[in-house]
Each structure stands twice: as structure tokens, then as C-alpha cells.
Amino acid sequence: RPRVLTIIKGELLLKGGLAGIFLGSGYIFQTLGLSLTTPAITGFITGLYVVITPILAIFFLKMRIDFLGWIAVLLATVGLLVLSFNGLDVSWGAFSVFISAIFFAAHIVALGAWSSKFDVYAMTTVQLGTCALLTTLAAIPGGITGPVGGNGWLVVIFTAFFATVFAFIIQTWAQSIIA
């Protein structure tokens, strides 16, 4: 039995699970938004997590933002409004993606606050396991189908390890040393 599984208990399970809920919710709302708006709008609004993260950190980590930071927040918000509003109608796709950006920012704030307290591999395992469970449950109503052919499976496996597992191990580790 891998050592990482033996140290997943209590507070790690709770906080890693909450980080996984933030991450999975971000993916769910981003996917919903992408089905309702363009990839360009989705990309821009998802990128707003960079602006939302310090705002959440103010409330949850008691951090301070300087004047230039507030100017950046204002400009990004104006950009969001320009892209999200169509007259007086709100684009539900853009709104969904904005909600995803909030969840992605919450994930980063959670990792910043908690990752230094726990084993990096255990924290990554819990957050990705929770994310996988949440996104699988969200996919059930629409039906779940696997990749087509051997190449499809190779792409899924490659992406799962390199773009997900390794990337989130590095992110969790990095946030544990910069927190």
C-alpha cells in the first residue's frame, strides 16, 4: 500500500477535499460556459482568476492589494463587462465561466493557505481524487463515453499524467513554499 494513502486523514482529507471541490467546480462551470459561449470569451474570462485570486486572498488570508493591483482589478472587470453583456442581456456562458474563475481562484487561495501544512503528494491525491469524483458525478446525466480507439486512450493517459497529476504536484509544492 502506498505511503501517501496511509497519511490521508482528518484535516488533510477535509482541506484537500475542499480544494478538490473548488477545482472540480471550476472545471464544471468552465465546461458549461464553453458550451454556451466562444472559446475566446471563455479563455479571457477564465484568465480573470489571476485577478480574483488576490481579492479572495484579502478576505480569507488577510492580504493587502496596492493601488496598481486595484487598477488591474478595475480594468479586468470592465473587460469582463464588455465581453459578458449583450445589451441588457447577460451571456449565461460568460457568467458560468466567470463562476469557474472564482472557483479556480478559490482553489489557488486554498492551496496557498493549506499546502505547506501537508504532504504534497497526499494533498494532490486528495484534491485530484475529489475533483475526479465531482466531475464524474456531474457528467453522469449527459452520459459518459470513453475515448475512441487506442490513440484516444493514449491521449487520455498522457494528459492525465503530464497535464494533470504532475502539473498539480508541482503547483501544490510551489504554493507550499511561497505561502
Side-chain angles (χ1 to χ4, degrees), residues 29-38 41-42 45-46 80 83-84 90-100:
F29 278 95
Q30 184 182 50
T31 302
L32 174 63
L34 189 54
S35 73
L36 299 171
T37 192
T38 67
I41 290 173
T42 299
I45 296 172
T46 298
L80 171 67
L83 287 174
S84 299
V90 174
S91 163
W92 290 109
F95 182 73
S96 293
V97 177
F98 182 67
I99 297 299
S100 82

Side-chain angles (χ1 to χ4, degrees), residues 9-173:
K9 296 181 175 93
E11 187 180 11
L12 169 65
L13 191 58
L14 176 68
K15 291 182 176 176
L18 191 54
I21 289 170
F22 293 151
L23 183 62
S25 297
Y27 287 138
I28 290 166
F29 278 95
Q30 184 182 50
T31 302
L32 174 63
L34 189 54
S35 73
L36 299 171
T37 192
T38 67
I41 290 173
T42 299
F44 173 77
I45 296 172
T46 298
L48 288 177
Y49 81 89
V50 173
V51 175
I52 297 167
T53 300
I55 293 171
L56 292 180
I58 288 171
F59 295 107
F60 296 105
L61 302 180
K62 308 297 184 219
M63 293 179 74
R64 296 184 58 120
I65 295 180
D66 63 12
F67 179 73
L68 287 176
W70 284 113
I71 295 295
V73 168
L74 178 65
L75 289 174
T77 303
V78 169
L80 171 67
L81 291 173
V82 168
L83 287 174
S84 299
F85 284 92
N86 182 9
L88 293 177
D89 294 331
V90 174
S91 163
W92 290 109
F95 182 73
S96 293
V97 177
F98 182 67
I99 297 299
S100 82
I102 293 170
F103 278 119
F104 289 140
H107 176 252
I108 291 170
V109 169
L111 284 184
W114 302 329
S115 60
S116 63
K117 299 175 186 172
F118 303 109
D119 178 83
V120 168
Y121 299 106
M123 182 71 166
T124 303
T125 299
V126 172
Q127 68 180 318
L128 291 182
T130 303
C131 177
L133 178 63
L134 182 63
T135 54
T136 299
L137 291 173
I140 289 173
I144 298 174
T145 58
V148 177
N151 285 340
W153 280 107
L154 287 175
V155 169
V156 167
I157 292 167
F158 180 85
T159 309
F161 282 104
F162 292 102
T164 305
V165 173
F166 295 139
F168 280 101
I169 287 171
I170 292 166
Q171 180 183 3
T172 303
W173 167 78

